[in-house]
Amino acid sequence: MKAVQFTEHGGTEVIEYGDFPDPEPERDEVLVDVKAGALNHLDVWTRRGLPGITLDMPHIPGSDGAGEVVDVGEDVTRFEPGDRVALSAGVSCGKCEFCRHGEHSMCVNYHIIGEHVRGVHSELAAVPEDNLLSVPEGVSWETAAAAPLVFQTAWRMLITRADVTSGEHVLVLGASGGVGHAAVQIADYAGATVYATGSSEAKLEHARELGADHVIDYEAEDFASQIRELTGGRGVDVVVDHIGKATWQDSLKSLAKGGRIVTCGATTGGQPETDINRIFWNQLSVIGSTMASLGEADDVMELVWDGTFEPAIREVLPMSETARAHEMLENREGFGKVVVKPDSEL
């Protein structure tokens, strides 16, 4: 088969698209004919060499993908050849105290397909049965590939961890990115007044179309000051911040008393200066979040499959141009997800 791969960490020049041995499914695995994959900033960090992660080389990236089942291991019961499936990339042990209570994303042995182990940006992929979602007929391969990671992540952040309720005010930073554009839709669905930041009028217009009530060009305006002005000095109840170092202090300034900041990542750095005085005096909550647990994944993906939520797709490229796809993420080009498809599918 052909696969996106790299044998060392580095810039986009390390990415290759070439021959790789066909995978053979284990007893609990499903062999998938991959029709489309999608990129996340996680792919960029993994390629660069995310600190603390050791990979078997060559590494195949990709934590989002969808395709058709071509074979199943002897212990597989949920799928059979011909089924349409999408990847849910978080792998949990199913046995620890967190898994026993349904908190699979807090598993002590939690890892992510495409980050810690080989991913699915290839013509074929062998995936554990528990990491596949059924995709209804009528849902495009591009949608099925682009939605799972970001919508699961944003759903857990807003609905489970931050517990957003109707009537609250929610600020979503980086609304043009994968998690950001999903968070705008989910906050709007929850009945919140949604504030979104972006770096161009085109990106802000997309955010409006997805449900943002107020938009802020963070390159032209100080978003914390704008939030204070838009809320009459009160601030917002929740800030969704997956950016980190560059925005952290202003995110705290944007919160009302008793507000919550929820984070799933730090694309500009994970060790920002922080205002502890503001946190305790305003009784703020700092909430960490990762990908969804199994039930959460089912809940949010049903809303994708029925069209309530829609992943924005900025570009569809052949897998042989995955280096270009990485550049689009690094340069913040466009709005939404970048999809890659095996060259044989184009």
Side-chain angles (χ1 to χ4, degrees):
M1 70 172 183
K2 298 289 187 182
V4 179
Q5 56 195 288
F6 53 83
T7 57
E8 61 180 334
H9 297 297
T12 56
E13 72 279 355
V14 304
I15 300 172
E16 299 178 3
Y17 184 66
D19 293 331
F20 199 91
D22 288 359
E24 296 191 11
E26 302 288 340
R27 296 175 63 97
D28 65 341
E29 290 184 331
V30 173
L31 186 64
V32 179
D33 177 7
V34 177
K35 303 298 185 181
L39 273 76
N40 301 280
H41 268 284
L42 182 59
D43 296 296
V44 173
W45 295 120
T46 303
R47 184 251 300 160
R48 290 177 180 174
L50 190 70
I53 292 181
T54 301
L55 299 176
D56 289 333
M57 296 292 189
H59 180 70
I60 298 174
S63 301
D64 266 329
E68 185 175 298
V69 174
V70 293
D71 196 9
V72 299
E74 54 192 282
D75 292 342
V76 171
T77 60
R78 293 174 50 225
F79 300 103
E80 59 185 29
D83 286 348
R84 293 162 52 88
V85 294
L87 178 68
S88 181
V91 180
S92 55
C93 71
K95 300 175 183 178
C96 70
E97 60 176 304
F98 299 104
C99 288
R100 290 198 302 270
H101 290 91
E103 289 287 1
H104 300 89
S105 65
M106 296 177 69
C107 172
V108 296
N109 296 308
Y110 191 76
H111 60 280
I112 298 174
I113 294 170
E115 178 183 5
H116 304 90
V117 297
R118 285 173 180 154
V120 297
H121 288 175
S122 52
E123 290 182 320
L124 295 169
V127 180
E129 176 183 27
D130 290 343
N131 287 97
L132 290 173
L133 304 162
S134 294
V135 177
E137 292 288 343
V139 175
S140 73
W141 291 124
E142 291 83 357
T143 293
L149 190 146
V150 294
F151 276 92
Q152 290 179 47
T153 299
W155 182 268
R156 180 169 175 81
M157 290 176 79
L158 287 161
I159 304 302
T160 303
R161 300 290 287 144
D163 192 23
V164 171
T165 57
S166 181
E168 289 196 302
H169 294 254
V170 176
L171 168 62
V172 178
L173 303 185
S176 64
V179 170
H181 93 289
V184 168
Q185 295 179 65
I186 292 168
D188 179 57
Y189 175 81
T193 298
V194 184
Y195 306 77
T197 70
S199 59
S200 71
E201 182 54 41
K203 291 179 179 180
L204 296 177
E205 182 57 34
H206 279 301
R208 291 188 190 98
E209 293 171 357
L210 294 179
D213 300 286
H214 305 278
V215 295
I216 301 168
D217 183 341
Y218 67 81
E219 291 192 341
E221 304 171 296
D222 175 74
F223 74 80
S225 297
Q226 286 298 306
I227 288 295
R228 288 291 170 183
E229 181 176 332
L230 290 167
T231 60
R234 175 184 180 273
V236 297
D237 300 289
V238 175
V239 175
V240 176
D241 188 332
H242 50 92
I243 297 171
K245 186 175 182 178
T247 55
W248 191 256
Q249 291 282 53
D250 282 338
S251 290
L252 294 178
K253 292 177 184 177
S254 300
L255 285 169
K257 282 185 174 290
R260 295 99 75 195
I261 182 170
V262 59
T263 177
C264 68
T267 56
T268 62
Q271 296 182 322
E273 291 185 5
T274 195
D275 189 346
I276 294 175
N277 292 336
R278 182 181 294 273
I279 291 173
F280 72 69
W281 187 252
N282 288 341
Q283 301 188 51
L284 307 179
S285 297
V286 177
I287 304 169
S289 187
T290 54
M291 291 170 60
S293 296
L294 298 180
E296 295 164 341
D298 290 337
D299 289 344
V300 68
M301 293 312 297
E302 283 300 319
L303 294 169
V304 173
W305 303 148
D306 71 12
T308 301
F309 300 144
E310 181 179 358
I313 297 172
R314 67 181 88 172
E315 186 121 20
V316 178
L317 296 171
M319 283 188 179
S320 59
E321 296 182 22
T322 295
R324 170 64 184 140
H326 277 237
E327 290 174 356
M328 293 183 70
L329 266 64
E330 290 178 308
N331 297 332
R332 297 179 298 153
E333 298 177 32
F335 188 99
K337 297 293 290 287
V338 180
V339 170
V340 291
K341 302 184 75 170
D343 289 41
S344 57
E345 293 292 329
L346 294 171

